[in-house]
Amino acid sequence: MKQRASQENERISSLVEANKLIPRVQKKIEHFVRKPYGYAIRFIRRGPETVLIVPPIARGGNWLYEWMKAYAQQNSTGEKVKITFRAGMEPWIKEFPLLQMLTIKDEDIRFRSLRQIGVNPRINENFAPLEISRFISDVLLTSPLFSESRKHALDVVTPTSLVINVRRGDYYSNPHIKYQFGIDTVRYIRKALEQLLNDFQPTQIILVSDDLDWCAEHLDFLMNIAPTRFEKIGKTMFDDLAVLSVASNLILTNTTFGYWGAYIASKERNARVLAPNVHERSTQHERVPPQHLKGWISIEPDAGSWLD
């Protein structure tokens, strides 16, 4: 257990540097393929299948962007497109079985297979609305396990519920990750509520988080607004995703896991979604984070930034 935790800490500690390195690596690869050798390799690697190379640093919600890209590209070209398998994908493939057909292990990649660098999560730039909708409908919502979780979630979540997704974990336990992603969560949620409550009064508030104890301690003021549930619905992270996906009113923090719950809720229920106007330090100059769908409400601080 300690060794696994140490390995995970090493992985996430490299995230800040990885964010800086990815653009440089991409430029080097682009420069490389312009050389004669690059042209020769491209002549030999004619496919017809294409493999999207997933950075080892990616996890969870970021993998779904890669799978969605593979599915969209496969539909548009009619050729096989798969992403490289990474450790930790097993639970996602078990929950959403159709992801298996979009995944390939490194040892199964043929030399002649075309290679592409994995897509980044600029959802409005990289995906048409129909591509997003198809991936959600055809791949995610066809899962029997996830459908059962959503059914259970609907026993608790109503159209007048407010679901708040709070990301904690390595965003705050690791100093490198915290510098890049840590936000003033309490101040942000207060500001989001201030805007939401102008025209909506929830009948209940439901917290979805990887640290519900923290939420109960620091967000107890929510009980002054409506009865608040700080207990987990279900047992797994996919039960959490299901709760987000059936909500009609959502307040998100800066996490791709929460974004995916909101993508589904936006498609299925035209959900009202509020999210901070910053996702991470390296993209804080952008007025709206590239992971946000059009129509989401970006919450801006009174001054400065939400980043800690």
Side-chain angles (χ1 to χ4, degrees):
M1 183 67 72
K2 288 184 178 179
Q3 183 180 5
R4 187 183 303 172
S6 176
Q7 291 173 343
E8 181 66 3
N9 282 335
E10 288 178 9
R11 181 190 73 80
I12 60 179
S13 293
S14 68
L15 180 58
V16 176
E17 286 305 312
N19 283 339
K20 297 176 183 177
L21 285 172
I22 287 172
R24 294 203 293 269
V25 171
Q26 288 175 329
K27 287 182 180 179
K28 286 184 178 180
I29 292 175
E30 290 170 1
H31 177 71
F32 170 78
V33 298
R34 292 191 186 99
K35 293 182 178 181
Y37 179 73
Y39 282 114
I41 288 294
R42 285 194 295 172
F43 180 78
I44 296 171
R45 289 180 174 166
R46 304 293 293 272
E49 68 276 3
T50 298
V51 177
L52 304 181
I53 307 301
V54 178
I57 197 70
R59 284 295 184 274
N62 286 301
W63 287 332
L64 287 174
Y65 294 110
E66 309 291 350
W67 276 312
M68 180 163 65
K69 181 63 176 177
Y71 189 70
Q73 199 166 322
Q74 190 166 277
N75 283 337
S76 65
T77 64
E79 298 174 351
K80 291 182 179 179
V81 184
K82 298 187 177 185
I83 77 170
T84 49
F85 177 84
R86 293 289 178 250
M89 284 183 176
E90 296 92 342
W92 291 84
I93 293 173
K94 180 180 179 181
E95 184 75 18
F96 305 105
L98 292 183
L99 296 179
Q100 181 69 63
M101 70 176 186
L102 301 171
T103 312
I104 187 169
K105 292 184 177 180
D106 290 343
E107 60 266 28
D108 294 328
I109 300 174
R110 300 193 311 163
F111 179 76
R112 292 176 59 87
S113 299
L114 294 167
R115 272 82 160 171
Q116 293 180 7
I117 298 174
V119 66
N120 66 47
R122 292 182 170 273
I123 192 162
N124 293 305
E125 295 178 19
N126 292 328
F127 302 100
L130 183 58
E131 291 175 327
I132 302 169
S133 180
R134 279 180 175 171
F135 178 73
I136 290 172
S137 296
D138 298 351
V139 179
L140 302 185
L141 295 184
T142 55
S143 161
L145 285 175
F146 192 57
S147 296
E148 190 63 29
S149 292
R150 281 167 50 86
K151 181 180 177 181
H152 178 60
L154 283 170
D155 291 337
V156 181
V157 182
T158 70
T160 55
S161 299
L162 168 61
V163 177
I164 301 178
N165 180 213
V166 174
R167 169 67 185 269
R168 299 300 298 175
D170 54 23
Y171 269 27
Y172 299 90
S173 63
N174 183 285
H176 300 285
I177 301 297
K178 182 177 181 181
Y179 174 79
Q180 185 74 358
F181 293 96
I183 69 171
D184 188 339
T185 304
V186 175
R187 183 167 67 99
Y188 158 69
I189 288 178
R190 286 187 180 275
K191 182 66 182 294
L193 283 167
E194 180 183 322
Q195 179 157 339
L196 180 66
L197 295 177
N198 284 330
D199 60 358
F200 173 69
Q201 180 60 49
T203 56
Q204 67 169 332
I205 299 174
I206 299 169
L207 271 294
V208 173
S209 177
D210 54 356
D211 192 345
L212 288 169
D213 290 339
W214 183 94
C215 294
E217 180 179 353
H218 294 86
L219 304 176
D220 57 338
F221 61 87
L222 295 172
M223 294 185 290
N224 296 325
I225 299 171
T228 303
R229 181 180 180 125
F230 293 103
E231 298 82 28
K232 187 176 179 68
I233 300 173
K235 298 179 179 179
T236 72
M237 62 178 171
F238 300 111
D239 292 322
D240 288 342
L241 187 66
V243 172
L244 296 170
S245 76
V246 301
S248 297
N249 304 279
L250 281 163
I251 292 178
L252 306 177
T253 49
N254 54 328
T255 166
T256 55
F257 184 87
Y259 297 157
W260 272 98
Y263 296 155
I264 300 172
S266 295
K267 175 193 177 301
E268 292 287 282
R269 287 172 167 72
N270 193 27
R272 172 169 22 195
V273 180
L274 288 74
N277 72 327
V278 61
H279 178 75
E280 60 180 302
R281 192 170 297 276
S282 62
T283 58
Q284 63 179 315
H285 62 282
E286 301 188 47
R287 193 174 186 281
V288 177
Q291 299 88 348
H292 289 194
L293 285 182
K294 294 176 181 177
W296 287 8
I297 302 168
S298 288
I299 303 300
E300 300 186 13
D302 294 325
S305 172
W306 299 121
L307 291 164
D308 277 350

